[in-house]
Amino acid sequence: MHHEEADQPADRPIPSGFWAWVSRNAELPAFDRLLFLLYGVRIIAILNVVAELGVADLIRERPRTAEELAEATGTRPDVLSRVLRAASSIELFAELPDGRYVMTPEAESLASDGFSLRDLTLFNTGEIFTTGYAALMHSVRTGEPAFDKAFGLPLYDYFDEHPEAGELFDRCMLQRSRLVVNAGDLLSTTDFSRFSRIADIGGGRGHFLGEVLGKQPHATGVLFERQAVLDHAGPLLEQFGVRDRVELVAGDYFATAPAGCDAYVLNTVLNTMDDARADTVLRRVRTAMGDRADSRLFICEKVVSHLPNKWDYSKLIDLDLLMLYGGGERTLAEWRELAGRAGFEVVTVPARDSSPWTALECRPV
């Protein structure tokens, strides 16, 4: 990651070169590069600890020593200093000559305000992922979710028994939705101005729908979700100023979809499903559309690069979806085939030069 010297406060040193070291690492023998990949489990553990303790929030207030941070977090200063030393070695924080720690750009999203990914970090580094991935071989052998094998029940049943984990997951999905809207830049490349009533199927607490309706003051919306999620949707929709234009509808998208809308959105819903389950959801939406030829479905998903040997983080997220749900990411050809079987034709594929996120516009056929 590039760092400009002008961006660094006077008391913040330019990081000592982890990313430059990573770049140099590419020139090392393959044996050493493999060893570097094995460091991943350590990095995950470091991220989990500093996110759980809220270290970024404390350091953002003012530079602090390990002793001060330990006092604020109720931890042992001698042990926390070792974690912070490791975190600084990968530029997550930076240590000043006087022993105080300060933020780096990499740490900004770990703070709880602003464009925060703290909940996303906690979820991705917590027990659900670490224990689930330990059982990945089960998925490889059977195609079934490794999570079910590791925990003895499906993910959403686990959330019913562990509501605090379900709450973290919902917050994580909200942060993911913000990431999609901002980093994926979907709203600037997708024209919703044609539609008067927009249904977000499985839309979480309504972040994406709120963003859409905020830019389309003439339109109304339907947020279709589980009741437990809808119970938390009102305040967020109020923040967007669209609560009076959104109908909250509880339901199961495997069984039905709300009729009477001219645009439907499936935003990172189908990637949690295998083809059979995704086909069921798409057919429910197709039935809800009826014979309105001008209705449209927008499948907002990552489109995996079909090129071999090409870096694409979607190829890693694909394994998350396999482990958690038995689902996965898809290539454009696979999306076309899946949509076609359910009675849709993909008609618009926005160009994506820097992000795998896209909105596949589909018309009924």
Side-chain angles (χ1 to χ4, degrees):
M1 185 174 293
H2 183 60
H3 301 285
E4 295 290 348
E5 185 170 359
D7 293 336
Q8 302 293 331
D11 64 348
R12 180 181 298 177
I14 298 175
S16 57
F18 170 70
W19 295 111
W21 183 86
V22 169
S23 178
R24 291 194 302 272
N25 214 27
E27 305 301 322
L28 293 176
F31 177 86
D32 292 303
R33 296 202 303 271
L34 177 60
L35 287 177
F36 173 71
L37 294 176
L38 295 178
Y39 296 153
V41 65
R42 285 88 167 170
I43 294 172
I44 288 295
I46 292 167
L47 282 165
N48 182 261
V49 168
V50 298
E52 177 71 26
L53 295 177
V55 171
D57 286 328
L58 294 169
I59 292 178
R60 174 180 270 182
E61 291 177 357
R62 60 179 173 82
R64 299 177 193 246
T65 64
E67 289 75 15
E68 292 172 317
L69 290 167
E71 181 177 1
T73 58
T75 56
R76 281 182 48 170
D78 57 335
V79 178
L80 182 60
S81 67
R82 293 162 63 184
V83 173
L84 293 172
R85 179 178 63 185
S88 299
S89 75
I90 56 174
E91 296 185 18
L92 192 56
F93 302 110
E95 184 179 2
L96 298 174
D98 61 6
R100 293 178 302 158
Y101 288 90
V102 294
M103 298 284 278
T104 62
E106 287 79 3
E108 291 295 335
S109 295
L110 281 178
S112 57
D113 60 348
F115 189 67
S116 177
L117 297 180
R118 181 171 180 262
D119 290 327
L120 196 69
T121 300
L122 286 170
F123 185 72
N124 278 266
T125 61
E127 181 184 17
I128 284 177
F129 262 67
T130 55
T131 303
Y133 260 116
L136 183 62
M137 184 61 75
H138 176 74
S139 291
V140 175
R141 295 191 186 282
T142 68
E144 299 171 353
F147 180 92
D148 296 20
K149 174 69 171 178
F151 289 89
L153 72 174
L155 183 66
Y156 287 107
D157 292 345
Y158 178 86
F159 290 152
D160 289 340
E161 295 187 7
H162 300 81
E164 72 289 347
E167 174 65 20
L168 174 61
F169 178 76
D170 287 343
R171 298 197 309 269
C172 175
M173 292 302 99
L174 176 60
Q175 291 183 350
R176 181 216 60 189
S177 182
R178 289 171 177 159
L179 186 64
V180 172
V181 170
N182 291 279
D185 201 26
L186 290 181
L187 295 186
S188 68
T189 58
T190 307
D191 179 17
F192 286 101
S193 65
R194 298 166 282 167
F195 308 110
S196 60
R197 190 160 178 79
I198 301 166
D200 194 351
I201 310 299
R205 299 184 182 186
H207 180 268
F208 189 81
L209 184 60
E211 292 275 9
V212 171
L213 294 181
K215 297 179 183 298
Q216 310 299 334
H218 67 284
T220 61
V222 175
L223 183 60
F224 188 78
E225 252 294 1
R226 295 175 293 133
Q227 186 61 56
V229 178
L230 293 179
D231 288 342
H232 300 280
L236 183 61
L237 295 172
E238 290 283 358
Q239 290 180 27
F240 282 105
V242 301
R243 178 64 188 88
D244 60 334
R245 290 191 281 137
V246 176
E247 180 183 2
L248 303 181
V249 178
D252 176 3
Y253 44 51
F254 289 109
T256 187
C261 301
D262 51 1
Y264 291 81
V265 175
L266 287 167
N267 181 7
T268 57
V269 170
L270 300 179
N271 63 355
T272 66
M273 306 172 190
D274 59 21
D275 283 357
R277 291 182 295 162
D279 181 77
T280 297
V281 173
L282 286 169
R283 290 179 186 275
R284 298 296 179 262
V285 175
R286 180 65 187 87
T287 298
M289 280 187 176
D291 57 1
R292 297 181 57 174
D294 59 344
S295 294
R296 291 292 184 267
L297 165 65
F298 293 89
I299 301 175
C300 301
E301 294 277 6
K302 299 184 189 72
V303 176
V304 181
S305 171
H306 67 282
L307 298 175
N309 309 316
K310 177 180 173 57
W311 163 250
D312 180 349
Y313 75 89
S314 301
K315 296 174 182 178
L316 299 181
I317 302 300
D318 175 58
L319 297 181
D320 294 351
L321 297 163
L322 170 64
M323 181 271 289
L324 291 172
Y325 310 100
E329 305 289 14
R330 295 174 173 92
T331 65
L332 180 57
E334 289 169 335
W335 281 119
R336 289 187 186 278
E337 181 180 354
L338 182 65
R341 289 200 302 267
F344 292 100
E345 178 187 6
V346 178
V347 295
T348 302
V349 182
R352 283 287 163 208
D353 296 327
S354 59
S355 170
W357 288 101
T358 193
L360 303 173
E361 182 178 341
C362 306
R363 69 176 182 87
V365 293

